[in-house]
Amino acid sequence: MDKQNSKYRWIVFAAVLFTYLLMASQRTAPGLITDQLMKDFSVTASTIGLLTSIQFFVYTSLQIPMGILADRFGPNFFLIIGATLTGLGTIIYSLGTHEFVLFFARILTGIGDATIWVNMVLILAQWFHKKEFVRLIGLAGMTGSLGFLLATVPFSSWILLLGWRAAFFSAGLLLCLCGFLLYFVLVKKTKHIFLNEPLVVTVEVQREKTSVLLRRIFSNRQAWALFFCHFGVVGGYVGFISSWAVPYGMNMYEMTRSDASQLIMIGLIGALIGAPLTSWISSRLETIKRPYIIVHITVLIGWFSFLLFNGLPSFFLLVILFFIIGFGYGASALTFAAVRQSFPLKESGIVSGFANTGGFLSAVLLPIIFGYVLDHFQSTSGNQVDGYYYSFFTPFIFSIIGLIGVVFYKEKRYGTVHKTNK
């Protein structure tokens, strides 16, 4: 029986995407309890920012190495281990009694999270025909945004019902169970059904030395342009949502945690709409650069609006701004369409990893800088309004960098636009 023609491939698809949904939710779920952690552990905003950033730092640093390992040893093992590590990290996080335990837990979660995208793509490539794969990879990418959505009102309600420790413990336990599920679906059951096929199917790779390839990519201006494109729209959204969005709503607008989570959900809806809509527009116009420039300018105006209104825009405008910022994050799929257009297929994986590194590097930096600025104003004047106002200069500057990146991106003859994600 052929894997790519079997009905069993849809079970694989469902199991892998369900795991991705839960893993993606744990990227931003800790942002729901920022104020609670500061109270329970008596830590500063700077510490919380560093705690948030550590997971994205681990994720970012492992993107290219994970691609090399998955290509060499096969994706199944790493995805199973990744789901289990994410679950264990979340459980340890829920049981932590010291801030160092929290850091260790988020490092484990980051290692697990770093396995998901590259290995998921390779698994789907094994189980689906090329035409099916192109359609399904867009759906797989949107699953990440759905995971962020799960970490808003639903998980916030779960925290209110059980308390934050029990809520995170249950999420971690479910992720560990996903590891067992993946083992059963990808290894045990597959081995039983496809007795005559090798368990691991790897893609033949080009033989150029990794060090030579990396030097060539790092000296390529087009690759750096795409790096900065992604830097400008991902970090402002992911870094802010995962750390300071809920405290911002609670402190500046006197919202409840649940209400602030609903505000974040507006941004997530924008992200869900942004990916397919901008890809469709780019396809219709037969250009990537022009719509992407408009996206970057719009996101830049969005962050500037926070500064224009002294960090406290009207609630109606605030809703629009969250939607715009989320939409820009969804539109970041155009980065990978540009990679496919600009580089040969044999290099698109490593360049995609390089560009993805840019996006999550900004997600690492933003919470740290944001937290330091808040701490500075809290210690000097105690003025939260000024603290948030000056903190918003960070995503504003990041968005300027992103706009510069897309301006310097040199578009080649238009090819097929593929939708993908981190």
Side-chain angles (χ1 to χ4, degrees):
M1 185 185 298
D2 183 8
K3 284 183 177 181
Q4 295 184 347
N5 291 314
S6 69
K7 294 182 179 179
Y8 187 72
R9 72 191 191 280
W10 295 107
I11 296 177
V12 172
F13 180 74
V16 171
L17 258 67
F18 179 69
T19 303
Y20 181 38
L21 176 74
L22 295 179
M23 291 177 71
S25 73
Q26 292 308 303
R27 294 177 183 176
T28 57
L32 297 173
I33 57 169
T34 296
D35 60 323
Q36 189 67 47
L37 291 179
M38 293 176 68
K39 178 181 178 182
D40 291 353
F41 292 86
S42 300
V43 294
T44 63
S46 300
T47 301
I48 293 296
L50 184 60
L51 180 63
T52 300
S53 296
I54 194 71
Q55 178 179 351
F56 294 124
F57 175 79
V58 174
Y59 177 95
T60 303
S61 62
L62 290 179
Q63 284 304 286
I64 294 177
M66 182 51 60
I68 297 172
L69 290 173
D71 204 31
R72 178 171 298 179
F73 299 107
N76 293 346
F77 172 77
F78 292 105
L79 188 60
I80 293 168
I81 293 298
T84 306
L85 283 179
T86 303
L88 290 175
T90 305
I91 289 174
I92 294 172
Y93 193 81
S94 71
L95 301 175
T97 57
H98 193 278
E99 59 188 88
F100 291 113
V101 178
L102 299 183
F103 276 101
F104 174 72
R106 296 313 286 175
I107 290 173
L108 276 185
T109 304
I111 294 173
D113 190 24
T115 67
I116 181 62
W117 180 255
V118 171
N119 292 291
M120 180 178 65
V121 168
L122 290 178
I123 288 171
L124 295 182
Q126 292 176 9
W127 284 89
F128 292 91
H129 293 291
K130 186 175 181 181
K131 289 184 178 179
E132 288 181 321
F133 175 79
V134 172
R135 293 197 303 266
L136 294 176
I137 199 64
L139 180 59
M142 291 177 65
T143 303
S145 294
L146 289 174
F148 291 165
L149 193 63
L150 181 63
T152 57
V153 177
F155 200 71
S156 179
S157 300
W158 193 237
I159 291 173
L160 290 175
L161 180 64
L162 299 180
W164 75 268
R165 290 187 182 275
F168 278 88
F169 183 89
S170 61
L173 183 61
L174 186 57
L175 276 164
C176 288
L177 292 176
C178 282
F180 287 107
L181 173 66
L182 290 174
Y183 171 77
F184 179 80
V185 171
L186 297 175
V187 179
K188 190 173 182 179
K189 191 67 174 178
T190 299
K191 185 177 181 180
H192 179 72
I193 296 175
F194 303 96
L195 294 175
N196 297 324
E197 289 193 11
L199 181 60
V200 177
V201 180
T202 57
V203 179
E204 184 179 354
V205 297
Q206 47 81 26
R207 296 301 178 185
E208 185 178 14
K209 287 185 178 180
T210 302
S211 59
V212 175
L213 178 59
L214 287 175
R215 281 198 299 270
R216 183 153 51 80
I217 297 302
F218 274 94
S219 61
N220 188 294
R221 292 181 61 182
Q222 186 84 324
W224 278 106
L226 296 173
F227 177 97
F228 289 121
C229 279
H230 217 49
F231 183 96
V233 291
V234 172
Y237 173 79
V238 175
F240 182 64
I241 288 291
S242 63
S243 56
W244 299 112
V246 169
Y248 171 72
M250 295 174 67
N251 294 330
M252 300 291 283
Y253 292 87
E254 298 182 351
M255 296 179 181
T256 63
R257 179 177 283 104
S258 179
D259 289 339
S261 299
Q262 292 180 37
L263 186 62
I264 292 175
M265 191 164 59
I266 299 297
L268 295 172
I269 293 172
L272 288 170
I273 296 173
L277 181 58
T278 53
S279 293
W280 178 80
I281 292 174
S282 181
S283 175
R284 293 284 293 178
L285 297 178
E286 297 190 351
T287 176
I288 296 172
K289 184 170 183 175
R290 279 187 289 166
Y292 210 8
I293 285 179
I294 294 174
V295 167
H296 276 269
I297 291 174
T298 304
V299 171
L300 176 63
I301 293 173
W303 287 117
F304 179 71
S305 297
F306 282 100
L307 301 177
L308 187 64
F309 292 93
N310 296 316
L312 196 62
S314 68
F315 181 77
F316 176 75
L317 179 58
L318 187 67
V319 170
I320 295 175
L321 293 177
F322 267 83
F323 180 86
I324 288 173
I325 294 164
F327 188 92
Y329 171 72
S332 67
L334 291 179
T335 298
F336 301 97
V339 169
R340 289 293 184 90
Q341 185 192 81
S342 303
F343 294 87
L345 185 60
K346 65 180 183 179
E347 296 179 359
S348 64
I350 194 168
V351 179
S352 294
F354 181 66
N356 203 30
T357 299
F360 281 88
L361 176 62
S362 60
V364 170
L365 295 176
L366 187 137
I368 297 175
I369 299 173
F370 212 97
Y372 273 118
V373 174
L374 284 177
D375 274 348
H376 172 74
F377 281 92
Q378 186 65 33
S379 61
T380 56
S381 65
N383 192 326
Q384 282 190 329
V385 175
D386 285 347
Y388 278 105
Y389 169 74
Y390 285 102
S391 294
F392 280 120
F393 273 98
T394 302
F396 174 68
I397 293 172
F398 282 10
S399 60
I400 292 176
I401 294 173
L403 180 60
I404 293 173
V406 74
V407 167
F408 278 92
Y409 159 62
K410 293 183 179 180
E411 187 167 39
K412 297 183 179 180
R413 187 175 62 86
Y414 184 82
T416 301
V417 175
H418 297 283
K419 293 183 294 180
T420 183
N421 202 341
K422 300 58 62 196

